Amino acid sequence: MEENITVSDAIVSQWINAAINGDQEAFAELLYTFQDAVYNLCYRLLGERTEAEDATQEAFLKAYYNLRRYDHERSFKTWVLSIASNHCIDRLRKRRMSYVSIDESIPATLSLASDEPEPEPALLGNERSQHIQDMLHTLQPDYRAAVVLRYWYDYSYAEIAEILGDSESAIKSRLYRARQLLAEKMTPTSDEDFHNSLEERM
Amino acid sequence: MERKHQLMQESLDAPLSAQAVEELTIILAENPQSADDYQRLQKVDDMLSIAPFERAPKRLALTIMARIAQSVSAQTKPTSDIDIATLQVAVQLVTVAALPLLVGAGYMLLNSQTDPESLEVVIEQVAMLLLMVINVIDVMLDEAKEIVHDDPQTALAMLTLLPTTLLTMVSEILGIHNEADES
């Protein structure tokens, strides 16, 4: 789950106002504060690091150019995640239209390497992360978005509905269905193997 | 949704009431398949609950800020006096180059009236020539517009090349026609 960010709403509001008035450093503060949240969402939805980086860039650029339209009554994080999720879902739909299977997982070795170091614990985390990613990729984009926002961001149904622009009941049934689909795909053997391999390494 | 499924799902989101827990316990005890389904759902929930959070690469914020800076600078880049002067010269040169073409076209039309048989051919040639000239101007102006923000000097240089390009093109076409006529 996401680490808590300890920036108050008042400070975020100040940064937004300054950024609207052309202060790029203020926007950089917003960027540093929320980039992990946006990147993780893009990565979980798109399943590929390079594409997630690109989508994160696009989401923040859209946010920058639409800052004047931002409603200060809303949470900035919810707003920027909403931009990012819509962008990613659009990408996934276009990908589908161009006949590239969204179920196809891209081997980690083929994706461009991140500049983050990969010590042993990180490798273990990557393995777990990839296993979850493979499971997520069996879901259609809007189901996947609901699952990611629920589990990685701990958002309520109402908040997820606001981000994805849907009704609360629709989100609830989408999440229920997504869990069921994942449960059907989770064979006891493969799951136990996965946990055993983790335990052995730990 | 079936009651048992509803209870299973709700138990994953929040603690159930004592009554609901009792109801679910009975359902699971009576139906081994439901118990198995519930176990799988719990496994999914456990797996997702401990899912690692992916952090953005360090360079990402810098890349985004660079893109914003570049885009803002392109939008606010002032056009210098020299650029404006060069642009005016380029437009004048285009006009100077286009005028003789128009005059020549008019002259050909007028002369061809003495020979009605060739009138159709001349009109066709003049129309083709003018169309090509307009197309070339259009394409070069479009390209100049595209690059004018990033590289105004090159865009203006393209405009200043317009007259030469047009004259070369027209002389090539006329040359080809003359050769064809002679043969």
Side-chain angles (χ1 to χ4, degrees):
Chain A
M1 197 185 290
E2 188 187 12
E3 289 166 20
N4 286 329
I5 296 164
T6 52
V7 178
S8 76
D9 290 347
I11 292 175
V12 170
S13 240
Q14 277 178 15
W15 286 339
I16 294 166
N17 288 330
I20 288 172
N21 292 321
D23 183 350
Q24 287 184 28
E25 280 182 25
F27 190 77
E29 296 289 354
L30 289 168
L31 182 54
Y32 284 119
T33 308
F34 298 107
Q35 63 170 344
D36 285 341
V38 174
Y39 175 77
N40 179 68
L41 177 69
C42 294
Y43 173 67
R44 291 299 170 194
L45 291 181
L46 298 169
E48 207 267 313
R49 289 178 204 281
T50 315
E51 209 179 342
E53 280 184 39
D54 192 43
T56 307
Q57 286 186 32
E58 294 304 323
F60 274 108
L61 284 172
K62 274 187 193 169
Y64 182 79
Y65 288 112
N66 289 289
L67 269 182
R68 284 177 197 280
R69 291 189 202 165
Y70 167 67
D71 174 7
H72 285 258
E73 297 297 311
R74 283 181 75 178
S75 140
F76 180 78
K77 185 177 160 190
T78 308
W79 183 65
V80 79
L81 286 177
S82 170
I83 294 173
S85 57
N86 287 330
H87 179 78
C88 291
I89 290 172
D90 277 352
R91 270 185 183 227
L92 289 168
R93 285 186 182 140
K94 279 178 194 160
R95 214 196 269 181
R96 221 184 213 183
M97 281 165 72
S98 59
Y99 301 103
V100 176
S101 167
I102 58 163
D103 295 341
E104 189 181 334
S105 64
I106 297 157
T109 46
L110 286 183
S111 59
L112 287 177
S114 154
D115 57 2
E116 300 294 316
E118 291 203 350
E120 279 300 308
L123 280 174
L124 195 61
N126 280 350
E127 194 172 330
R128 185 191 295 161
S129 186
Q130 189 57 45
H131 176 75
I132 292 166
Q133 199 60 44
D134 292 343
M135 295 285 283
L136 277 179
H137 264 234
T138 61
L139 299 175
Q140 60 188 56
D142 45 355
Y143 282 28
R144 202 183 304 170
V147 169
V148 172
L149 290 167
R150 179 81 185 102
Y151 282 96
W152 273 267
Y153 299 85
D154 206 22
Y155 278 134
S156 66
Y157 291 134
E159 286 168 319
I160 299 171
E162 188 191 334
I163 291 172
L164 298 179
D166 224 324
S167 71
E168 208 176 315
S169 61
I171 297 298
K172 197 172 184 178
S173 65
R174 208 179 287 171
L175 193 62
Y176 280 16
R177 183 77 190 119
R179 278 184 189 137
Q180 264 178 339
L181 288 169
L182 290 175
E184 283 163 17
K185 293 196 189 305
M186 189 174 255
T187 57
T189 334
S190 70
D191 187 49
E192 273 162 27
D193 285 351
F194 169 69
H195 281 287
N196 288 342
S197 75
L198 285 181
E199 277 164 18
E200 276 169 24
R201 281 163 182 257
M202 285 194 275
Chain B
M1 186 186 284
E2 220 178 320
R3 177 68 181 155
K4 66 176 179 186
H5 287 132
Q6 191 186 345
L7 285 171
M8 287 181 198
Q9 295 275 1
E10 282 177 1
S11 76
L12 301 178
D13 287 331
L16 293 176
S17 66
Q19 194 187 349
V21 170
E22 196 180 336
E23 197 182 339
L24 182 60
T25 312
I26 294 168
I27 291 169
L28 298 179
E30 286 174 352
N31 189 338
Q33 181 58 47
S34 296
D36 186 48
D37 290 346
Y38 186 54
Q39 201 181 6
R40 281 168 187 257
L41 273 177
Q42 280 180 318
K43 274 184 180 174
V44 167
D45 191 62
D46 290 345
M47 177 188 77
L48 292 172
S49 299
I50 56 158
F53 199 87
E54 292 290 323
R55 299 179 74 88
K58 282 171 191 161
R59 66 174 183 279
L60 186 61
L62 292 175
T63 312
I64 295 170
M65 287 316 295
R67 278 185 69 181
I68 287 174
Q70 191 183 13
S71 151
V72 168
S73 127
Q75 279 177 359
T76 55
K77 201 170 200 171
T79 313
S80 73
D81 289 345
I82 297 170
D83 290 345
I84 292 167
T86 319
L87 183 66
Q88 284 169 346
V89 170
V91 172
Q92 297 288 341
L93 282 171
V94 172
T95 315
V96 168
L99 267 178
L101 285 173
L102 291 170
V103 172
Y107 179 76
M108 282 166 78
L109 271 173
L110 285 172
N111 278 322
S112 64
Q113 283 182 12
T114 56
D115 182 6
E117 282 177 10
S118 61
L119 183 63
E120 197 181 327
V121 179
V122 170
I123 288 177
E124 209 173 88
Q125 284 181 347
V126 168
M128 188 191 74
L129 197 65
L130 289 177
L131 264 177
M132 288 184 76
V133 168
I134 291 166
N135 279 341
V136 169
I137 293 176
D138 247 12
V139 169
M140 290 186 82
L141 281 177
D142 279 347
E143 284 181 7
K145 267 186 211 167
E146 271 179 27
I147 61 167
V148 75
H149 278 307
D150 296 334
D151 194 352
Q153 300 295 340
T154 311
L156 293 167
M158 277 179 71
L159 286 180
T160 53
L161 280 174
L162 255 176
T164 319
T165 313
L166 289 176
L167 288 173
T168 311
M169 196 187 79
V170 170
S171 63
E172 282 291 317
I173 292 167
L174 292 177
I176 290 165
H177 280 287
N178 286 341
E179 278 171 23
D181 289 345
E182 280 166 17
S183 65

